[in-house]
């Protein structure tokens, strides 16, 4: 691994750590904490609540919206139109019939994306229809949506998801009957807003650095491949040129 790739890994770890700290402990390090007795969040600020997830959401099983936009649940971009996902260079299995059997999704809903290894609960940025195999969750209190969005992508919560699966190995799916009985932290709504704004600003800065590093690494890799190709074809002698082809 090159120096730039190590820096990228460190930034990614910092990003995850910042989200986890903010959504499970808040932003004030001096606030008194309390024990929860909950394995995945053993301590939270003493003024926060905990609540079973099934009491925070209602399942949406609405169908028969065949003319709505077809959506894809992605782990990097949330729930977005299939066309946008395909434009990002991804392949999806297109559904060309039985649109009326697909589940209806509204902006602000959460879609359980089945898989748990990177976080399997995705925020819906668009309205449309999606696979009937997915579980659609509607926050009972919509003002909590953005906090949930970051909580569900935090490292501690992803570890919780791994305990709520059925099947084996690559066939493991998140079982909402199990997950719904798990407790999640709920800060006061005003504190949630502060946490969300902090994450957006902090993570936005980190994401900008990650984006710049990723582009630099890709450029260096392309240069490396070109130099190797030129050396193989005899266009350049690396011994004479003394060119380093490692992505430093």
């Amino acid at each position: 691994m090159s120096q730039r790739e190590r820096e990228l890994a460190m930034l990614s770890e910092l990003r995850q750590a910042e989200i986890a700290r903010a959504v499970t402990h808040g932003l004030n390090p001096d606030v008194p904490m309390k024990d929860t007795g909950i394995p995945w969040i053993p301590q939270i600020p003493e003024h926060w609540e905990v609540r079973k997830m099934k009491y925070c959401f209602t399942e949406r099983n609405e169908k028969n919206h065949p003319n709505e936009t077809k959506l894809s649940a992605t782990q990097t971009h949330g729930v977005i139109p299939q066309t946008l996902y395909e434009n990002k260079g991804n392949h999806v299995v297109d559904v060309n019939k039985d649109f009326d059997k697909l589940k209806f999704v509204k902006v602000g809903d959460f879609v359980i994306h089945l898989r748990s290894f990177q976080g399997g609960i995705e925020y819906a940025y668009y309205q449309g229809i999606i696979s009937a195999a997915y579980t659609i969750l509607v926050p009972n209190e919509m003002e909590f949506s953005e906090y949930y969005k970051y909580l569900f992508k935090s490292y501690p919560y992803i570890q919780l998801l791994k305990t709520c699966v059925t099947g084996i190995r690559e066939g493991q799916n998140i079982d909402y009957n199990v997950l719904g009985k798990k407790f999640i932290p709920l800060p006061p709504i005003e504190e949630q807003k502060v946490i969300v704004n902090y994450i957006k600003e902090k993570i936005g800065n980190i994401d900008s650095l990650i984006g710049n590093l990723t582009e630099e690494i890709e450029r260096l890799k392309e240069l490396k491949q070109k130099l190797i190709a030129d050396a193989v074809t005899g266009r350049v002698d690396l011994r004479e040129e003394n060119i380093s082809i490692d992505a430093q």
Side-chain angles (χ1 to χ4, degrees), residues 31-219:
V31 70
M33 305 292 284
K34 65 181 178 183
D35 295 330
T36 65
I38 303 169
W40 79 276
I41 42 165
Q43 284 195 322
I44 60 173
E46 65 176 8
H47 62 288
W48 288 20
E49 298 179 35
V50 292
R51 192 181 302 172
K52 284 187 177 180
M53 192 163 165
K54 66 180 180 179
Y55 298 133
C56 300
F57 296 89
T58 300
E59 286 192 53
R60 188 195 299 281
N61 289 302
E62 190 176 344
K63 299 179 182 179
N64 199 27
H65 291 269
N67 297 320
E68 289 285 346
T69 302
K70 288 178 289 182
L71 303 175
S72 289
T74 77
Q75 292 186 327
T76 52
H77 306 292
V79 181
I80 60 176
Q82 277 190 9
T83 52
L84 287 181
Y85 190 51
E86 291 166 349
N87 288 341
K88 295 179 184 297
N90 301 285
H91 174 73
V92 297
V93 178
D94 196 11
V95 178
N96 292 310
K97 61 179 181 178
D98 296 331
F99 293 159
D100 58 321
K101 296 180 181 178
L102 300 181
K103 287 185 177 179
F104 183 53
V105 178
K106 287 187 176 182
V107 175
D109 288 355
F110 289 88
V111 176
I112 296 186
H113 183 238
L114 304 182
R115 305 296 186 226
S116 65
F117 57 92
Q118 289 180 344
I121 304 182
E122 312 303 337
Y123 181 82
Y125 291 93
Y126 294 82
Q127 177 174 300
I129 49 178
I130 204 163
S131 170
Y134 295 165
T135 300
I136 316 302
L137 300 179
V138 183
N140 292 339
E141 299 166 279
M142 287 302 295
E143 63 266 29
F144 291 174
S145 284
E146 286 204 283
Y147 171 75
Y148 291 141
K149 180 173 69 174
Y150 291 111
L151 175 69
F152 293 160
K153 286 297 182 179
S154 68
Y155 179 79
Y157 191 85
I158 292 172
Q159 301 314 299
L160 171 68
L161 288 179
K162 293 179 180 179
T163 70
C164 303
V165 296
T166 58
I168 56 174
R169 296 184 180 177
E170 295 302 318
Q172 289 188 333
N173 297 327
I174 298 169
D175 186 343
Y176 187 61
N177 290 326
V178 176
L179 179 61
K181 298 174 184 177
K182 303 296 185 181
F183 286 93
I184 59 176
L186 285 179
I189 185 61
E190 290 304 318
E191 189 170 352
Q192 288 183 39
K193 293 176 182 177
V194 173
I195 289 171
V196 167
N197 289 336
Y198 169 82
I199 291 175
K200 284 181 177 179
E201 180 178 359
K202 185 75 173 183
I203 299 310
N205 292 335
I206 295 175
D207 284 346
S208 179
L209 292 173
I210 287 175
N212 292 338
L213 263 180
T214 300
E215 290 180 4
E216 183 178 347
I217 290 170
E218 289 304 311
R219 287 197 300 268

Side-chain angles (χ1 to χ4, degrees), residues 18-33:
E18 286 289 344
I19 293 175
R21 178 180 64 83
V23 298
T24 60
H25 288 79
L27 304 179
N28 183 356
D30 299 321
V31 70
M33 305 292 284

